[in-house]
Amino acid sequence: MMSESLADRIIIPEALVEALRHAEHVAVLTGAGISAESGVPTFREAQKGLWAQYNPEDLATQEAFERDPRRVWEWYAWRRKLIARAEPNPGHLALAQIEERVPRFSLITQNIDELHFRAGCKETIELHGSIGRSRCLSCDEVTREWVEGDETPPRCPNCGGMLRPDVVWFGEALPFDALARAVAAAHDADLFFSVGTSGVVYPAAALPLEAIEYGATAVEINPEETPATVMMDFVLKGPAGRVLPQLVAAAWPEQAAPQQ
Ligand code: OAD
C-alpha cells in the first residue's frame, strides 16, 4: 500500500517548474476554492456551496439590501465571524512564498476574506472588496471600525449614516482601480495561475483569457474542471493547499523545509 504522503503527491510537470523558476512576472487569480481548506465555504459547489443554500438575490444585491438591510447585514456578520475563525492554509502560504521568490508578483483575488493578506502577501488586488470593511451609504467613508449593537446595520462613525459591507454585489461595478490593475497584471504576466475559481463570474473570469491572449503561460489549479480548463497550458488537478506547496518545493528545492 502507498503511504498517504505518496498518494497525495501531485505530478508537477518539469516544464512548469522551469517556467516558474524563470518567470519575470507571475500573476495569480484566486477564488473561493483557495480558502476552502481553511473552512470558508465556496459558492457554487453542490450542497456545501453558499449559493446552494442561499439565494444570492436575497443577500448579495443592492435591491436585497434596500428591501431588508438587517437580514443582509446579519448574513455578512455571520460570514465575518466564520472568516475571523479561519486561518490561512498551506495554499495561501505557498503563494506568499512565490511572491518572495519571483521578480514581480501580482495577486488578484475574488475573495473578501483577507486570508492572502494574513498569509503574508504584501499586496492583493481585491476585485470584490473585503468583508473586513464597511462603507457609509451617506458619506461614502470606508471604515474598519464600527459598533455592532443597538442598530442593525450599524451607523457610520463619521456621519451617522447607514453602513453596508464594502463588497461588490451582483449588478454592481467592480472597483475601477482594482480592475485596471488586474487587467494590467494579466497583460504583463508571463505566467498566470487560476486557482480555486469556477471561472463563471465576469469580469474576473476573463482575466486568464486576457493573460493567454497576451502570451502568458496559463496554469489552472482546481480539483474540478472549469470552462477555462481547455485553454490552459498546465492543469494541476487537486486541492490548492496540497498542489501549491508541492509546486513551490519543486521549483525551489534548495529552500524547502526538511521533510519530517
Ligand atoms: P465558486 O464557488 O464559484 O468556485 C469555487 C471553485 O473552487 C470550484 O471550481 C471548485 O472546484 C474549486 N475548489 C474547491 N475546493 C478547492 C480546493 N481545495 N482547492 C482548489 N480549488 C478548489 O467560487 P468563485 O469562483 O470564487 O462573488 O466565485 C466567484 C464569485 O462568485 C465570488 O467572488 C462571489 C460569487 O458569487 C460575489 O459575491 C460578487
Side-chain angles (χ1 to χ4, degrees):
M1 220 171 78
M2 263 195 302
S3 73
E4 201 190 330
S5 63
L6 267 182
D8 287 348
R9 201 151 292 167
I10 313 275
I11 294 169
I12 311 280
E14 195 51 38
L16 172 57
V17 170
E18 284 305 302
L20 180 54
R21 279 184 76 93
H22 297 111
E24 279 298 317
H25 183 177
V26 175
V28 183
L29 170 69
T30 63
I34 184 110
S35 297
E37 289 154 89
S38 296
V40 181
T42 58
F43 294 95
R44 290 179 185 75
E45 287 183 282
Q47 282 145 30
K48 56 185 176 172
L50 288 174
W51 297 153
Q53 301 164 58
Y54 303 96
N55 182 355
E57 280 166 22
D58 294 339
L59 296 163
T61 64
Q62 213 166 352
E63 295 72 27
F65 190 71
E66 278 161 21
R67 247 188 341 258
D68 196 344
R70 184 183 186 97
R71 178 165 187 225
V72 172
W73 182 272
E74 283 175 345
W75 191 66
Y76 277 89
W78 166 72
R79 287 179 63 198
R80 197 175 292 117
K81 265 195 200 143
L82 204 103
I83 285 166
R85 283 200 301 266
E87 293 294 332
N89 68 56
H92 296 108
L93 297 172
L95 288 177
Q97 288 175 337
I98 295 176
E99 177 173 37
E100 279 173 15
R101 292 171 192 184
V102 298
R104 281 197 64 203
F105 184 77
S106 302
L107 183 58
I108 308 158
T109 191
Q110 298 165 86
N111 299 346
I112 60 174
D113 58 28
E114 299 186 354
L115 286 176
H116 288 301
F117 173 74
R118 285 171 54 197
C121 278
K122 290 181 192 71
E123 219 179 303
T124 309
I125 302 172
E126 291 175 327
L127 290 179
H128 293 166
S130 164
I131 203 162
R133 301 188 301 261
S134 291
R135 179 152 45 86
C136 177
L137 290 178
S138 303
C139 72
D140 223 29
E141 173 109 338
V142 172
T143 177
R144 297 186 73 89
E145 284 173 24
W146 59 87
V147 182
E148 300 270 359
D150 302 344
E151 279 187 280
T152 308
R155 297 284 150 175
C156 170
N158 185 40
C159 77
M162 189 188 282
L163 290 179
R164 61 160 280 178
D166 190 27
V167 299
V168 175
W169 283 327
F170 287 101
E172 292 185 320
L174 271 59
F176 180 81
D177 182 56
L179 184 58
R181 285 166 61 214
V183 171
H187 288 177
D188 186 61
D190 44 3
L191 186 56
F192 189 98
F193 288 88
S194 177
V195 182
T197 177
S198 57
V200 296
V201 175
Y202 284 80
L207 292 170
L209 315 183
E210 290 278 332
I212 292 167
E213 211 172 294
Y214 277 71
T217 297
V219 188
E220 182 173 73
I221 300 177
N222 197 315
E224 306 294 333
E225 290 206 353
T226 74
T229 305
V230 291
M231 281 166 267
M232 297 286 157
D233 297 288
F234 298 99
V235 176
L236 302 181
K237 209 166 175 198
R242 259 196 258 149
V243 175
L244 281 165
Q246 289 181 38
L247 178 62
V248 169
W252 294 281
E254 64 282 3
Q255 294 178 48
Q259 295 288 316
Q260 295 286 312

